[in-house]
Amino acid sequence: GDSVTQMEGPVTLSEEAFLTINCTYTATGYPSLFWYVQYPGEGLQLLLKATKADDKGSNKGFEATYRKETTSFHLEKGSVQVSDSAVYFCALSEGSGYSTLTFGKGTMLLVSP
Amino acid sequence: NAGVTQTPKFRILKIGQSMTLQCTQDMNHNYMYWYRQDPGMGLKLIYYSVGAGITDKGEVPNGYNVSRSTTEDFPLRLELAAPSQTSVYFCASSLRPGVGYTFGSGTRLTVV
């Protein structure tokens, strides 16, 4: 079945550092890919998405490129802020029929001043 | 625009007790979902619904039941609570399958 693998956290960075959170996936078809963010005590919020190969999703300075050849969707940000501290989830959906989202285990990001 | 509303936010149950977690959305979304989130394990799908009167099992349905009598409401029922059901439960909805989920703020349940 479908699966998503994320790098384990926590990822600890200083403010203004470059961020990469790795995500790879296994799927039988042509999935849509997503990054969700969860701030402490809150539900998940959609951060960005990409629906086909080579698409780049971007939002709030974060971006991720759908790489079909490496089955990856790594999240990047050029300069993180303390307010970016959260848990980040990579997810996929086959996008056909009644498909639901399959989530990775999440990666905690901690940014210090 | 309230989005997805879950109640209660916190609850402590004793083993063997039952309860219903409430979820309601005001976006007229046909698709609704229940997930549980355990530390370091991501989110696991419990049940989902594609419209009023239609529900289906997800990855971890045992010990739970759902109903969908209206588009707005999708309650999750726990019968005979067990410690293994200690978790944070999230309800979500979407306009189309697998796309653009809107999540509630969660219910933290402890079974003792």
Side-chain angles (χ1 to χ4, degrees):
Chain A
D2 298 344
S3 66
V4 176
T5 302
Q6 295 180 231
M7 62 188 293
E8 287 193 23
V11 174
T12 304
L13 295 173
S14 298
E15 207 165 25
E16 300 184 4
F18 184 87
L19 168 70
T20 300
I21 299 178
N22 290 337
C23 171
T24 58
Y25 67 89
T26 302
T28 54
Y30 301 95
S32 295
L33 301 173
F34 307 83
W35 278 101
Y36 279 80
V37 59
Q38 183 181 32
Y39 298 102
E42 298 183 11
L44 281 71
Q45 303 172 27
L46 180 63
L47 181 59
L48 54 84
K49 67 179 182 183
T51 58
K52 61 182 187 296
D54 300 325
D55 269 1
K56 177 184 285 187
S58 61
N59 186 23
K60 299 180 182 179
F62 291 89
E63 59 183 34
T65 301
Y66 189 143
R67 301 288 188 197
K68 189 171 183 294
E69 64 276 12
T70 55
T71 62
S72 64
F73 193 54
H74 305 322
L75 183 68
E76 296 181 336
K77 187 176 185 183
S79 176
V80 294
Q81 305 301 312
V82 173
S83 57
D84 294 327
S85 298
V87 180
Y88 293 82
F89 292 90
C90 186
L92 71 81
S93 168
E94 289 283 2
S96 62
Y98 295 146
S99 64
T100 58
L101 282 178
T102 298
F103 287 89
K105 293 184 178 181
T107 302
M108 179 177 289
L109 170 65
L110 300 172
V111 182
S112 57
Chain B
N1 189 350
V4 177
T5 302
Q6 291 184 239
T7 56
K9 292 189 180 302
F10 303 94
R11 183 71 186 268
I12 298 175
L13 276 183
K14 294 184 178 179
I15 294 171
Q17 287 185 322
S18 301
M19 76 164 294
T20 299
L21 281 67
Q22 301 292 344
C23 175
T24 186
Q25 52 93 7
D26 62 359
M27 297 170 286
N28 203 32
H29 286 172
N30 280 326
Y31 299 86
M32 296 188 74
Y33 317 86
W34 274 106
Y35 284 88
R36 60 176 288 172
Q37 182 181 31
D38 300 306
M41 298 301 293
L43 280 79
K44 302 290 187 183
L45 182 66
I46 305 171
Y47 271 95
Y48 67 100
S49 169
V50 302
I54 306 171
T55 63
D56 206 350
K57 297 177 180 179
E59 186 179 359
V60 290
N62 290 345
Y64 307 94
N65 277 301
V66 293
S67 59
R68 185 94 182 272
S69 57
T70 66
T71 298
E72 295 78 20
D73 300 308
F74 190 41
L76 178 71
R77 178 81 177 162
L78 279 72
E79 305 283 0
L80 299 174
S84 61
Q85 294 177 304
T86 294
S87 188
V88 181
Y89 292 84
F90 287 101
C91 179
S93 71
S94 68
L95 190 59
R96 295 187 298 276
V99 176
Y101 286 20
T102 300
F103 280 83
S105 58
T107 295
R108 183 175 295 274
L109 176 67
T110 302
V111 181
V112 297

